[in-house]
Amino acid sequence: MAETSATTGTGEPASRPSWKYIGPGIVVAATGVGAGDLVATLIAGSKFGYTLMWAAVIGCVVKISLAEAAGRWHLATGRTLFDGWRSLGPWTTVYFAIYVVVWGFIYGATAMSSSALPIVALFPDGPGLKFWAIVTGLIGLAFVWFNRYAVFEKVMTVLIGIMFVVVVYVAARVVPDVGASFAGLLPVLPDGSLLYTLGLIGGVGGTITMAAYGYWVNAKGWSNASWMKVMRLDNRVAYITTGVFVVAMLIVGAELLHASQVALTSGDRGLVDLGEVLEDRFGTGTAKLFLVGFFATSFSSLIGVWHGVSLMFADFVERFRAPAAGAAKTEEHEGAAAAERRQRSLPFRAYLLWLTFPPMTLLWLDEPFGLVIGYGVLGAFFMPFLALTLLWLLNSSRTPAQWRNGAVSNMMLALSGLLFVVLCVQQVRELPW
């Protein structure tokens, strides 16, 4: 068992078992896995059975590498990720400014609708989708506005616990084929599976919230390199949990949908379809339990983005306002105090409002064509941007020599960057030009 997690009076790690203190990794994993990711995994399972199990495992390793790199940057340098990006040139500031505004506007509506879908399915005679979407958005706003990181982390842990238990339970109910699942660990590519394979490796849990991991590490109170061992354990536990979660969804797709050739609706509504399939197969109780898990999945993503991306935006504004010389290197390592200051800041709360109220207009309107294109392009480019800039930062003199990338880290980040570039090109090609 790893050591060094609880703090001493000086704020340094004390010699205690660290399992009890993990948290930021659970937060980033819960936020990154949304309803759309689960549907993509289900569809992969329904089309190819267990054949792509190996891709889900590799995807888990890729996410561990990316999140570890983001956390390592924050702890080793005492600087935030946006501070690092800014040191690479003004192009990063321009990209992030456009991205965070356009992405936040459309994501807000998507997250609220996704959280409302299972509620409408659970209470079909109640208010409609728009009502529940607005309610979930307002609850998310109030929760993040009035609570600090410690409470936020506890709630996220409960939500991912619900997600995990429900999905693993459903996977057990469909009775997985253990032999076929182990055979699926052998890398093969069936005809027509390339894009599904790339999506499984790069898509599940891969969003801007991976960049927020370092901010949550600091909010936890982990402020320097003495916390590196704790951060790495936290990250691995979180993404192994996510890996089990993804494998369970692949099993559901393979066993419940593949054999019977059931087709799901793409996007979040596919989980409502799955609820109906579960009801036919296992009864109302299992279907309702699954919808509760669906809600936990969607709402954890909502409040995770409301908190994490707002922290990033507050840091962006803080660095943008600061003189260039002052932003080049912070005098003290980032920690809980800086995160607390940002959570109380005007930019943090302004971005919370931006995520909540303007997107509500999209609940009544079809998404404007230009916004759809802009959102798709910017979103597709973010993961390559994250992987390749981390590769740059962690191999340069900006990072203390002992914490720079080794051969394995360089290989994983380079492969991640290449993977995300391929996915980016494909996503852009599929946009409704």
Side-chain angles (χ1 to χ4, degrees), residues 318-337:
E318 183 179 306
R319 305 292 169 185
F320 187 75
R321 288 175 173 173
K329 177 71 177 174
T330 52
E331 294 181 2
E332 297 182 358
H333 278 238
E334 292 283 335

Side-chain angles (χ1 to χ4, degrees), residues 1 12 26 43 121 125-126 140 175 182 184 192 221 233 246 259 301 318 326 329 367 410 420 426:
M1 182 179 293
E12 296 298 311
I26 293 292
I43 291 175
D125 297 327
V175 190
F182 276 105
L233 174 67
V246 172
S301 293
E318 183 179 306
K329 177 71 177 174
E367 294 173 357
N410 277 328
F420 291 126
Q426 182 59 32

Side-chain angles (χ1 to χ4, degrees), residues 301-356:
S301 293
L302 186 152
I303 61 174
V305 167
W306 264 230
H307 189 276
V309 184
S310 296
L311 270 179
M312 293 183 69
F313 182 77
D315 181 46
F316 163 73
V317 174
E318 183 179 306
R319 305 292 169 185
F320 187 75
R321 288 175 173 173
K329 177 71 177 174
T330 52
E331 294 181 2
E332 297 182 358
H333 278 238
E334 292 283 335
E340 177 72 14
R341 183 186 70 249
R342 291 191 184 105
Q343 288 176 92
R344 296 182 182 277
S345 69
L346 178 61
F348 180 89
R349 293 180 169 176
Y351 195 72
L352 272 179
L353 296 174
W354 174 253
L355 282 167
T356 307

Side-chain angles (χ1 to χ4, degrees), residues 61-114:
V61 175
V62 166
K63 302 307 181 306
I64 288 173
S65 301
L66 277 169
E68 188 275 340
R72 177 155 46 96
W73 166 264
H74 275 249
L75 295 181
T77 67
R79 301 166 68 181
T80 65
L81 188 52
F82 184 78
D83 194 8
W85 286 339
R86 190 181 180 191
S87 73
L88 300 179
W91 65 275
T92 58
T93 301
V94 173
Y95 170 75
F96 185 79
I98 298 171
Y99 174 83
V100 80
V101 172
V102 176
W103 182 88
F105 181 49
I106 297 186
Y107 180 82
T110 302
M112 288 185 276
S113 296
S114 180

Side-chain angles (χ1 to χ4, degrees), residues 84-170:
W85 286 339
R86 190 181 180 191
S87 73
L88 300 179
W91 65 275
T92 58
T93 301
V94 173
Y95 170 75
F96 185 79
I98 298 171
Y99 174 83
V100 80
V101 172
V102 176
W103 182 88
F105 181 49
I106 297 186
Y107 180 82
T110 302
M112 288 185 276
S113 296
S114 180
S115 298
L117 277 170
I119 302 177
V120 173
L122 282 166
F123 306 103
D125 297 327
L129 182 71
K130 293 183 180 66
F131 173 84
W132 285 119
I134 292 171
V135 168
T136 56
L138 293 176
I139 291 173
L141 170 67
F143 173 75
V144 175
W145 190 289
F146 293 109
N147 287 293
R148 294 297 168 254
Y149 176 79
V151 176
F152 166 72
E153 183 189 285
K154 287 182 173 65
V155 170
M156 291 291 280
T157 302
V158 170
L159 290 172
I160 199 172
I162 294 171
M163 293 160 54
F164 185 85
V165 169
V166 168
V167 170
V168 171
Y169 168 75
V170 172

Side-chain angles (χ1 to χ4, degrees), residues 381-393:
F381 274 95
F382 186 80
M383 292 303 287
F385 171 79
L386 175 62
L388 297 174
T389 53
L390 281 171
L391 191 64
W392 187 348
L393 290 170

Side-chain angles (χ1 to χ4, degrees), residues 52 185 288 292 323 431:
L52 300 182
L185 296 176
K288 289 190 179 298
V292 170
L431 288 171

